[in-house]
Amino acid sequence: DTAVSQTPKYLVTQMGNDKSIKCEQNLGHDTMYWYKQDSKKFLKIMFSYNNKELIINETVPNRFSPKSPDKAHLNLHINSLELGDSAVYFCASSQVAGKGKLFFGSGTQLSVL
Amino acid sequence: GENVEQHPSTLSVQEGDSAVIKCTYSDSASNYFPWYKQELGKGPQLIIDIRSNVGEKKDQRIAVTLNKTAKHFSLHITETQPEDSAVYFCAASAPYNDYKLSFGAGTTVTVRA
């Protein structure tokens, strides 16, 4: 059973389109995250939700909107995609916010053409 | 906020030799230091972590040391094997900012057979 699963694994789209990435965790964790990994492998947090409540919102363009329908799901919707949005997006979860033991999904490779 | 620097960015070692990756952090309040391993096409996976009340921790061929005074911590991998080839990330978090891990830039480790 996959602990943190995200779909799709690959996403190729045109500039200006709107796309969504879905994430689900079956670990019973309270906190979920979205991270962006750029071409140089640098990992940067974008958002964090604890029990469906937004607790971290880094300086991310408001074209990015996370949605957490329940504590097992955290989806990422991106409007008006730009070339610079191309990256690998990772969903992660942790049992308790701030305890650091993150469990990552396998990533979504987003390519904006 | 916390700033984590990681060196080297790439490391090539002969199979059976040791590998050492070093990180420094800026926030003296940081008290949790995990290390993640990312294999090609996968998400980062926690391999070992250490808290500030401990100076060293070991798990089979992997060990982490922490020097709070100097604000640096290191990952040591002994008897390296080809499956140790991956990107390794250090990270740090502080109690007041427990929701957010600050990651180093990563070290690409290649184990030569």
Side-chain angles (χ1 to χ4, degrees):
Chain A
D1 283 347
T2 304
V4 181
S5 60
Q6 53 183 109
T7 55
K9 186 160 178 66
Y10 300 97
L11 189 51
V12 181
T13 188
Q14 299 287 331
M15 264 195 330
N17 284 350
D18 303 338
K19 289 294 177 185
S20 293
I21 307 172
K22 296 186 176 182
C23 179
E24 175 182 6
Q25 55 95 1
N26 63 4
L27 298 167
H29 288 169
D30 287 334
T31 310
M32 296 185 71
Y33 312 78
W34 278 108
Y35 278 83
K36 180 179 180 180
Q37 186 172 48
D38 62 24
S39 58
K40 295 184 179 179
K41 299 290 186 184
F42 190 71
L43 274 166
K44 185 171 172 59
I45 192 168
M46 301 172 67
F47 301 103
S48 176
Y49 271 74
N50 186 48
N51 275 319
K52 303 193 296 175
E53 183 179 339
L54 181 67
I55 54 173
I56 292 176
N57 184 351
E58 291 293 283
T59 48
V60 176
N62 57 14
R63 298 181 295 103
F64 290 79
S65 53
K67 284 189 171 50
S68 183
D70 55 61
K71 73 174 192 178
H73 295 83
L74 180 62
N75 304 321
L76 183 65
H77 188 75
I78 315 169
N79 288 328
S80 304
L81 278 156
E82 301 177 356
L83 293 176
D85 298 332
S86 296
V88 181
Y89 292 84
F90 287 101
C91 177
S93 72
S94 64
Q95 185 168 15
V96 178
K99 296 308 178 184
K101 291 183 191 281
L102 294 180
F103 291 78
F104 283 86
S106 57
T108 296
Q109 172 95 53
L110 172 64
S111 299
V112 182
L113 306 178
Chain B
E2 177 65 273
N3 182 42
V4 178
E5 294 192 358
Q6 182 173 347
H7 300 280
S9 57
T10 60
L11 180 60
S12 179
V13 297
Q14 191 69 36
E15 183 177 358
D17 288 350
S18 295
V20 179
I21 304 170
K22 298 183 179 183
C23 290
T24 60
Y25 59 99
S26 60
D27 191 342
S28 57
S30 288
N31 68 345
Y32 177 66
F33 308 93
W35 287 87
Y36 286 82
K37 174 184 180 182
Q38 185 178 17
E39 297 175 344
L40 197 62
K42 297 184 179 180
Q45 181 178 14
L46 179 72
I47 55 171
I48 195 168
D49 57 7
I50 192 168
R51 295 195 181 270
S52 58
N53 58 346
V54 175
E56 184 174 356
K57 185 176 177 181
K58 191 173 180 180
D59 182 5
Q60 298 183 329
R61 297 186 296 108
I62 292 172
V64 58
T65 59
L66 170 65
N67 184 326
K68 284 183 60 180
T69 304
K71 288 190 284 188
H72 67 68
F73 56 113
S74 301
L75 178 73
H76 303 252
I77 307 172
T78 59
E79 300 172 23
T80 53
Q81 300 168 5
E83 54 263 37
D84 295 328
S85 295
V87 181
Y88 292 81
F89 293 94
C90 62
S93 69
Y96 67 84
N97 201 16
D98 254 359
Y99 298 112
K100 189 166 72 172
L101 278 175
S102 295
F103 281 89
T107 297
T108 301
V109 174
T110 303
V111 180
R112 307 186 307 272

